[in-house]
């Protein structure tokens, strides 16, 4: 297939979440441009399920592997020099992505940042996310509030685009798989009640909070809990130690690396999603399943009415689970709207990238808001 002007676009992924955001963009754009995906970070962690195998299953034409986490900036410098891309895409709010963006910035290449302008005041991600925003030239965001916040950071309004969440659009189109199909694929047996659990470390990083959370779940009768891996933020080792203990208990099952497809297929059959993952806020509302959001990690994100907020207290968590089972609450889920959803998110994003790659890199200025 003839590539348009042989333009080169480079993407970067360091974890499951950012990969799910960009997968379909790359698959669409590689029909017109030479696209590269640099893979590193958590993808090569055997403890977390070696998620790189999911990337290998996708039909990407140009993969670059960074298995060694050391000297990340040096490796990125060498890759940029070798490929000489015309355009760079970075995603999210991770420390590794900030290091990557800093390396790119020194080459004076145009940078497009996805998912800027968000706030998660219960984690350390805000500082990383806003720093990536200031190093980038263009911005694709998920809500109007996030667009306003990027502009508030001094970015030129004409370079900020709200397309909605790419993953929310994918999920909105998914159909519920039969229970038997999911059980066979994941080698599990669903119970009368079932909960999908994802807990990440937060800014407090208090192991007692994490212990209270998991111990509270033991009080729910006739229920199975399917636990996924925490991310690699500082403090995640505390959560993983607790998970190692709980996966030995009856009705607690550890699923190392589900991937987005299995995660959502399983979520359809859950009574609720429990934890503090961003997926419970931005994705799960699209499938009309309750999210029991624990602690302050996601504080600041827009939330749909399907989300039940709880503190790290046994009584709060158990009341949250009880509310998720309430017939009236479940009935009202049918009316729930996901604030992250917007029609045609993928096609709009692809068209924006096609247009931006033709432009000369803009001069980076700080756009003052009138005081």
């Amino acid at each position: 297939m003839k590539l348009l002007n042989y333009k080169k676009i480079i993407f970067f992924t360091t974890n499951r979440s950012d990969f799910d955001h960009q997968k379909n963009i790359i698959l669409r754009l590689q029909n017109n441009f030479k696209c590269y995906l640099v893979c590193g970070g958590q993808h090569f962690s055997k403890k977390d399920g070696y998620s790189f195998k999911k990337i290998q299953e996708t039909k990407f034409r140009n993969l670059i592997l960074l298995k060694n986490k050391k000297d990340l900036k040096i490796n990125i410098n060498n890759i940029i020099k070798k490929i000489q891309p015309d355009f760079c895409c970075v995603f999210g709010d991770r420390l590794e992505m900030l290091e990557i963006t800093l390396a790119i910035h020194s080459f004076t290449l145009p940078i497009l940042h996805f998912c800027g302008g968000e706030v998660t005041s219960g984690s350390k991600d805000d500082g990383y996310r806003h720093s990536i925003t200031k190093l980038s030239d263009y911005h694709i965001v998920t809500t109007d509030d996030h667009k306003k916040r990027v502009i508030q950071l001094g970015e030129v309004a004409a370079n900020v685009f709200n397309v909605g969440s790419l993953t929310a659009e994918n999920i909105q189109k998914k159909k519920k798989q039969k229970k038997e199909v999911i059980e066979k694929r994941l080698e599990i047996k669903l119970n009368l009640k079932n909960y999908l659990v994802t807990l990440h470390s937060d800014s407090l990083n208090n192991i007692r909070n994490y212990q209270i959370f998991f111990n509270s779940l033991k009080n729910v009768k006739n229920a199975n809990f399917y636990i996924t891996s925490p991310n690699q933020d500082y403090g995640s080792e505390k959560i993983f130690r607790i998970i190692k203990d709980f996966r030995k208990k009856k009705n607690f099952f550890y699923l190392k690396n589900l991937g987005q497809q299995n995660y959502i297929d399983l979520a359809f059959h859950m009574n609720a999603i429990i934890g503090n993952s961003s997926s419970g806020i931005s994705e799960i509302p699209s499938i009309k399943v309750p999210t029991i959001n624990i602690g302050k990690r996601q504080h600041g994100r827009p939330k749909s009415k399907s989300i039940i907020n709880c503190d790290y207290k046994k009584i709060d968590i158990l009341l949250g689970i009880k509310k998720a089972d309430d017939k009236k609450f479940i009935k009202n889920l049918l009316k729930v709207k996901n604030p992250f959803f917007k029609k045609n998110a993928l096609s709009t994003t692809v068209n924006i990238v096609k247009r931006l790659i033709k432009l000369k890199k803009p001069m980076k200025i700080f756009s003052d808001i009138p005081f």
Side-chain angles (χ1 to χ4, degrees):
M1 181 175 290
K2 186 177 180 181
L3 302 180
L4 296 179
N5 299 322
Y6 297 97
K7 293 279 189 180
K8 300 174 185 176
I9 308 176
I10 191 166
F11 296 81
F12 303 85
T13 178
T14 64
N15 61 65
R16 296 162 296 177
S17 177
D18 68 49
F19 172 68
D20 290 334
H21 275 86
Q22 59 191 302
K23 175 178 66 176
N24 290 328
I25 302 173
I26 300 171
L27 289 172
R28 288 277 290 272
L29 285 172
Q30 70 179 9
N31 292 325
N32 303 112
F33 305 97
K34 192 161 187 179
C35 295
Y36 296 84
L37 178 62
V38 179
C39 311
Q42 193 177 22
H43 289 302
F44 297 102
S45 168
K46 291 182 179 179
K47 182 185 77 174
D48 297 313
Y50 198 76
S51 56
F52 178 67
K53 62 188 176 186
K54 298 290 183 184
I55 298 176
Q56 289 177 303
E57 293 168 5
T58 313
K59 296 178 181 178
F60 294 141
R61 295 175 189 154
N62 300 291
L63 291 177
I64 299 172
L65 280 56
L66 286 181
K67 293 185 179 181
N68 189 348
K69 292 171 67 176
K70 295 180 180 179
D71 300 324
L72 178 62
K73 187 173 180 180
I74 294 172
N75 285 326
I76 297 300
N77 285 342
N78 291 335
I79 289 168
I80 295 293
K81 288 176 182 176
K82 182 177 179 179
I83 293 175
Q84 297 185 12
D86 299 285
F87 200 80
C88 307
C89 295
V90 295
F91 284 74
D93 49 27
R94 307 283 297 162
L95 173 59
E96 308 96 285
M97 199 61 72
L98 173 57
E99 293 172 342
I100 289 167
T101 310
L102 275 167
I104 301 169
H105 184 69
S106 64
F107 286 90
T108 322
L109 290 166
I111 302 173
L112 170 61
H113 179 212
F114 289 77
C115 303
E118 302 189 11
V119 170
T120 50
S121 57
S123 73
K124 296 181 179 179
D125 294 343
D126 285 356
Y128 305 144
R129 184 189 304 112
H130 300 333
S131 297
I132 296 171
T133 290
K134 292 311 303 173
L135 293 166
S136 302
D137 303 285
Y138 304 107
H139 314 273
I140 285 182
V141 300
T142 53
T143 72
D144 282 334
D145 283 346
H146 298 153
K147 179 176 180 178
K148 291 174 185 176
R149 198 169 285 119
V150 169
I151 295 169
Q152 180 186 339
L153 286 166
E155 296 303 294
V156 176
N159 293 337
V160 188
F161 311 92
N162 172 23
V163 306
S165 168
L166 295 163
T167 51
E169 182 187 42
N170 293 340
I171 291 163
Q172 195 95 349
K173 296 175 181 177
K174 283 188 73 67
K175 293 182 180 180
K176 186 175 181 178
Q177 298 288 314
K178 290 182 179 180
K179 184 180 85 167
E180 295 76 17
V181 173
I182 302 303
E183 288 179 326
K184 184 176 180 181
R185 188 198 306 165
L186 300 179
E187 299 180 340
I188 60 174
K189 186 69 177 176
L190 296 175
N191 206 331
L192 292 174
K193 292 182 180 180
N194 303 277
Y195 300 92
L196 190 52
V197 179
T198 304
L199 191 75
H200 300 306
S201 58
D202 54 33
S203 56
L204 294 176
N205 196 26
N206 186 338
I207 191 168
R208 177 163 169 74
N209 283 342
Y210 306 151
Q211 289 169 334
I212 289 171
F213 169 72
F214 281 101
N215 285 329
S216 299
L217 303 182
K218 292 191 295 185
N219 292 270
V220 184
K221 306 298 182 186
N222 299 316
N224 281 1
F225 294 91
Y226 300 96
I227 307 171
T228 68
S229 297
N231 61 27
Q232 290 189 323
D233 284 351
Y234 176 76
S236 63
E237 69 284 350
K238 295 179 181 179
I239 297 173
F240 192 74
R241 283 201 299 269
I242 299 172
I243 291 173
K244 283 179 73 175
D245 180 50
F246 266 76
R247 66 185 180 185
K248 301 172 187 175
K249 300 181 186 297
K250 184 181 179 182
N251 298 341
F252 285 82
F253 305 91
Y254 176 51
L255 305 175
K256 266 189 181 182
N257 179 36
L258 283 171
Q260 189 188 51
Q261 180 179 331
N262 286 331
Y263 182 88
I264 297 302
D265 285 343
L266 184 58
F268 269 111
H269 294 276
M270 297 294 103
N271 291 74
I273 308 302
I274 310 179
N276 59 9
S277 172
S278 61
S279 61
I281 307 296
S282 61
E283 299 170 5
I284 296 302
S286 292
I287 65 170
K288 316 301 183 186
V289 169
T291 293
I292 301 169
N293 179 54
I294 309 296
K296 305 296 184 185
R297 189 174 198 276
Q298 299 301 332
H299 187 68
R301 288 193 194 272
K303 296 182 178 71
S304 79
K305 292 182 179 179
S306 64
I307 294 165
I308 303 164
N309 294 305
C310 301
D311 287 329
Y312 282 103
K313 296 177 182 178
K314 177 180 174 180
I315 186 67
D316 271 18
I317 295 166
L318 294 180
L319 285 174
I321 292 172
K322 184 178 180 180
K323 183 176 180 179
D325 286 337
D326 181 77
K327 290 181 179 179
K328 185 177 179 181
F329 183 81
I330 294 170
K331 184 178 179 181
N332 288 335
L333 289 176
L334 297 174
K335 304 173 187 175
V336 162
K337 292 184 178 180
N338 186 349
F340 288 85
F341 173 76
K342 203 169 183 179
K343 282 185 177 180
N344 303 317
L346 177 60
S347 57
T348 302
T349 298
V350 169
N351 288 334
I352 289 170
V353 175
K354 285 181 177 180
R355 179 164 60 85
L356 293 179
I357 200 171
K358 296 176 184 178
L359 302 178
K360 184 180 179 182
K361 175 180 165 64
M363 181 184 295
K364 184 73 176 182
I365 62 170
F366 192 96
S367 180
D368 281 324
I369 296 173
F371 296 102

